[in-house]
Amino acid sequence: MTMIQCISPIDGSVYAERPAMSLEAATEAVGRARKAQKAWARWPLEERVQLVLKGVARLNEMSDEVVPELAHMMGRPIRYGGEYKGFNERSNYVAAIAADALAPLVVEASNNFERRIEREPHGVVFVIAPWNYPYMTAINTIAPALMAGNTVVIKHATQTLLVGERMVRAFVEAGVPDDVFINLFLDHATTSALIAAGNFNFINFTGSVEGGRSIERAAAGTFAGLGLELGGKDPGYVMEDADLDAAVDTLMDGATYNSGQCCCGIERIYVHESLYDAFVEKSVAWVSNYKLGNPLDPETTLGPMANKRFAKVVREQIADAVAKGAKALVDPKLFPADDGGAYIMPQVLTNVDHSMAFMKDETFGPAVGIMKVKSDEEALALMNDSPYGLTASLWTQDPERAARIGREVETGTVFMNRADYLDPALCWTGVKETGKGGSLSVLGFQNLTRPKSYHLKKVTK
């Protein structure tokens, strides 16, 4: 029997393990979810919504277990208290808009005809969730999918092995019927085989670009809907009229929080030449205040990266950039806990350019490059010089200027004077190799349902 193991970044020990399900057992489990779906879809919408919210509330009651589990599994310091703020905000918002988002579009309601378009659940939704924000990213699809009348199968990342199991436990304890929301422990081969066999009506995957390609290949010919949120290299642009202190505080937090392991984290920053020197100086001072250490220590503000191999990529990108002329400005002596493994210090690089992998490839670690620019045109060309497009953070006091530049940026979300935030009222989406589809907002409900038209001609006497 193959065991799936979560290796804790704290000390490299096996924190949790579960047996990988066979294809036969997994297929049977998905079959039960399919069988349960029709009955679940017949529940009144408001009852489905309230049950999902009860599941969310039950998970909140588990915080004493959830928070240290996250620290053990992926290294986030316990001082940050888990992901409940965003988890609850997203759940509550989709609950508030569910009735309107799923309401029929009435074309005609006359004595002669009823013509309308209704939203019908796809059926079985498969959520393949990532480890970096394992609760918040998963709930983006789970909550609206269940509310819309789908059943949900979750397969979580190995690094956060226990999250899917815990979420299902919370929802079942809150009263969600058996087989409506299930967790599976799967290896990659079984996952691909399940998809290729047409077991799912919609698949949502958050992860790497190569992972997204493998999902697309597996789903080819099944006609299952796909939502893919993949890589990112999100830029920030600080204009000459920006609030300097606010820009430093937000962009450095966006670059380094969660050890930089965020889909919409800031990975490259372009600063107008008039503010460049001050921005760099303040940024280095900001980042230097972190305390790197064991995430179970309440004093720790920066934990290890989730896996040694992730930290290795960051170190290699930094070393390559320095070899090509970049300057690393944060003093290593301030971070004695950097062990060359999962514990990695934050870093700010200058003298960088787009010939370096550090400024082009996804880093996904607590390091950021800063470049000087002279104009909006130069900044725009650099922001678009990327295979990715999830968010862009623009810093100015002029909303019209931000909107004008934003229309030219190849991205899914344009921020002005903020960064690294997911607004549940807006569609979370990306372009280019960042993926396709969108979650949350009214559009998220539309992606998790299909239109069904009713053309009813009445008998008249």
Side-chain angles (χ1 to χ4, degrees), residues 382-404:
L382 289 166
M383 285 190 284
N384 284 342
D385 184 26
S386 172
Y388 306 111
L390 185 58
T391 79
S393 178
L394 308 179
W395 288 80
T396 176
Q397 297 183 40
D398 185 347
E400 291 184 4
R401 182 182 182 187
R404 184 174 65 253

Short mmCIF file of all heavy atoms in Angstrom, two decimals, residues 382-404:
data_model
loop_
_atom_site.label_atom_id
_atom_site.label_comp_id
_atom_site.label_asym_id
_atom_site.label_seq_id
_atom_site.Cartn_x
_atom_site.Cartn_y
_atom_site.Cartn_z
N LEU A 382 7.53 46.63 -18.73
CA LEU A 382 8.14 45.66 -17.83
C LEU A 382 7.09 44.80 -17.14
O LEU A 382 7.26 43.58 -16.99
CB LEU A 382 9.00 46.38 -16.79
CG LEU A 382 10.30 47.01 -17.32
CD1 LEU A 382 10.88 47.97 -16.30
CD2 LEU A 382 11.30 45.92 -17.70
N MET A 383 6.00 45.41 -16.72
CA MET A 383 4.94 44.63 -16.06
C MET A 383 4.38 43.56 -17.00
O MET A 383 4.07 42.44 -16.57
CB MET A 383 3.83 45.55 -15.57
CG MET A 383 4.19 46.33 -14.32
SD MET A 383 2.78 47.19 -13.56
CE MET A 383 2.61 48.59 -14.68
N ASN A 384 4.26 43.90 -18.28
CA ASN A 384 3.70 42.96 -19.25
C ASN A 384 4.73 41.96 -19.77
O ASN A 384 4.37 41.02 -20.47
CB ASN A 384 3.08 43.71 -20.41
CG ASN A 384 1.74 44.33 -20.05
OD1 ASN A 384 1.11 43.94 -19.06
ND2 ASN A 384 1.30 45.29 -20.84
N ASP A 385 5.99 42.16 -19.43
CA ASP A 385 7.04 41.26 -19.90
C ASP A 385 7.11 40.05 -18.98
O ASP A 385 8.06 39.84 -18.22
CB ASP A 385 8.38 41.99 -19.91
CG ASP A 385 9.50 41.13 -20.47
OD1 ASP A 385 9.21 40.20 -21.27
OD2 ASP A 385 10.67 41.35 -20.08
N SER A 386 6.06 39.24 -19.03
CA SER A 386 5.92 38.08 -18.15
C SER A 386 4.96 37.08 -18.77
O SER A 386 3.99 37.49 -19.43
CB SER A 386 5.38 38.52 -16.77
OG SER A 386 5.09 37.39 -15.97
N PRO A 387 5.20 35.79 -18.57
CA PRO A 387 4.23 34.80 -19.06
C PRO A 387 3.00 34.69 -18.18
O PRO A 387 2.07 33.95 -18.51
CB PRO A 387 5.04 33.49 -19.04
CG PRO A 387 6.04 33.69 -17.95
CD PRO A 387 6.40 35.16 -18.00
N TYR A 388 2.99 35.41 -17.05
CA TYR A 388 1.90 35.30 -16.08
C TYR A 388 1.06 36.56 -16.03
O TYR A 388 1.47 37.62 -16.51
CB TYR A 388 2.47 35.03 -14.68
CG TYR A 388 3.40 33.85 -14.61
CD1 TYR A 388 4.76 34.02 -14.37
CD2 TYR A 388 2.92 32.55 -14.76
CE1 TYR A 388 5.61 32.94 -14.29
CE2 TYR A 388 3.76 31.46 -14.69
CZ TYR A 388 5.11 31.66 -14.45
OH TYR A 388 5.96 30.58 -14.39
N GLY A 389 -0.11 36.45 -15.36
CA GLY A 389 -0.95 37.63 -15.17
C GLY A 389 -2.06 37.37 -14.18
O GLY A 389 -3.16 36.99 -14.57
N LEU A 390 -1.80 37.56 -12.89
CA LEU A 390 -2.83 37.39 -11.87
C LEU A 390 -3.25 38.74 -11.31
O LEU A 390 -4.40 39.14 -11.42
CB LEU A 390 -2.35 36.47 -10.75
CG LEU A 390 -3.39 36.14 -9.68
CD1 LEU A 390 -4.63 35.48 -10.29
CD2 LEU A 390 -2.80 35.25 -8.59
N THR A 391 -2.32 39.48 -10.67
CA THR A 391 -2.64 40.83 -10.18
C THR A 391 -1.50 41.79 -10.50
O THR A 391 -0.37 41.38 -10.75
CB THR A 391 -2.89 40.86 -8.65
OG1 THR A 391 -1.63 40.84 -7.95
CG2 THR A 391 -3.76 39.71 -8.20
N ALA A 392 -1.82 43.07 -10.47
CA ALA A 392 -0.83 44.13 -10.57
C ALA A 392 -1.21 45.20 -9.56
O ALA A 392 -2.38 45.55 -9.42
CB ALA A 392 -0.78 44.71 -11.97
N SER A 393 -0.21 45.74 -8.85
CA SER A 393 -0.44 46.71 -7.79
C SER A 393 0.13 48.07 -8.21
O SER A 393 1.34 48.21 -8.38
CB SER A 393 0.22 46.24 -6.49
OG SER A 393 0.06 47.18 -5.45
N LEU A 394 -0.76 49.05 -8.39
CA LEU A 394 -0.37 50.37 -8.86
C LEU A 394 -0.48 51.39 -7.72
O LEU A 394 -1.51 51.46 -7.05
CB LEU A 394 -1.26 50.80 -10.02
CG LEU A 394 -1.39 49.79 -11.18
CD1 LEU A 394 -2.32 50.33 -12.25
CD2 LEU A 394 -0.03 49.45 -11.76
N TRP A 395 0.57 52.20 -7.55
CA TRP A 395 0.62 53.13 -6.43
C TRP A 395 0.68 54.57 -6.94
O TRP A 395 1.68 55.01 -7.49
CB TRP A 395 1.81 52.80 -5.53
CG TRP A 395 1.52 51.53 -4.77
CD1 TRP A 395 1.64 50.25 -5.25
CD2 TRP A 395 0.99 51.44 -3.46
NE1 TRP A 395 1.21 49.36 -4.30
CE2 TRP A 395 0.81 50.04 -3.18
CE3 TRP A 395 0.65 52.37 -2.48
CZ2 TRP A 395 0.30 49.58 -1.97
CZ3 TRP A 395 0.16 51.92 -1.26
CH2 TRP A 395 -0.01 50.54 -1.02
N THR A 396 -0.43 55.28 -6.74
CA THR A 396 -0.57 56.66 -7.18
C THR A 396 -1.76 57.27 -6.45
O THR A 396 -2.60 56.56 -5.90
CB THR A 396 -0.81 56.73 -8.70
OG1 THR A 396 -1.05 58.08 -9.09
CG2 THR A 396 -2.03 55.90 -9.12
N GLN A 397 -1.82 58.60 -6.47
CA GLN A 397 -2.98 59.30 -5.91
C GLN A 397 -4.00 59.65 -6.98
O GLN A 397 -4.99 60.32 -6.69
CB GLN A 397 -2.50 60.56 -5.18
CG GLN A 397 -1.61 60.25 -3.99
CD GLN A 397 -1.18 61.49 -3.22
OE1 GLN A 397 -1.98 62.40 -3.02
NE2 GLN A 397 0.07 61.53 -2.79
N ASP A 398 -3.78 59.16 -8.20
CA ASP A 398 -4.62 59.53 -9.33
C ASP A 398 -5.38 58.28 -9.83
O ASP A 398 -4.82 57.48 -10.58
CB ASP A 398 -3.75 60.10 -10.45
CG ASP A 398 -4.55 60.61 -11.63
OD1 ASP A 398 -5.76 60.30 -11.71
OD2 ASP A 398 -3.95 61.29 -12.49
N PRO A 399 -6.66 58.13 -9.45
CA PRO A 399 -7.41 56.95 -9.89
C PRO A 399 -7.55 56.84 -11.41
O PRO A 399 -7.54 55.73 -11.96
CB PRO A 399 -8.79 57.14 -9.24
CG PRO A 399 -8.56 58.06 -8.10
CD PRO A 399 -7.45 58.97 -8.54
N GLU A 400 -7.67 57.98 -12.09
CA GLU A 400 -7.80 57.93 -13.55
C GLU A 400 -6.52 57.41 -14.19
O GLU A 400 -6.56 56.63 -15.15
CB GLU A 400 -8.14 59.32 -14.09
CG GLU A 400 -9.54 59.79 -13.70
CD GLU A 400 -9.89 61.13 -14.33
OE1 GLU A 400 -9.06 61.65 -15.13
OE2 GLU A 400 -10.98 61.65 -14.04
N ARG A 401 -5.40 57.81 -13.65
CA ARG A 401 -4.11 57.31 -14.15
C ARG A 401 -3.98 55.81 -13.91
O ARG A 401 -3.56 55.06 -14.79
CB ARG A 401 -2.97 58.07 -13.47
CG ARG A 401 -1.58 57.68 -13.95
CD ARG A 401 -0.53 58.46 -13.16
NE ARG A 401 0.83 58.20 -13.58
CZ ARG A 401 1.91 58.66 -12.95
NH1 ARG A 401 1.76 59.44 -11.87
NH2 ARG A 401 3.12 58.36 -13.39
N ALA A 402 -4.36 55.39 -12.71
CA ALA A 402 -4.30 53.96 -12.39
C ALA A 402 -5.20 53.15 -13.32
O ALA A 402 -4.82 52.08 -13.80
CB ALA A 402 -4.69 53.73 -10.94
N ALA A 403 -6.41 53.66 -13.57
CA ALA A 403 -7.34 52.95 -14.44
C ALA A 403 -6.80 52.91 -15.88
O ALA A 403 -6.93 51.89 -16.57
CB ALA A 403 -8.70 53.61 -14.41
N ARG A 404 -6.19 54.01 -16.31
CA ARG A 404 -5.65 54.06 -17.68
C ARG A 404 -4.51 53.05 -17.84
O ARG A 404 -4.47 52.30 -18.83
CB ARG A 404 -5.15 55.48 -17.98
CG ARG A 404 -4.64 55.68 -19.39
CD ARG A 404 -4.29 57.12 -19.67
NE ARG A 404 -3.17 57.61 -18.86
CZ ARG A 404 -3.28 58.45 -17.84
NH1 ARG A 404 -4.47 58.90 -17.49
NH2 ARG A 404 -2.21 58.85 -17.18
#
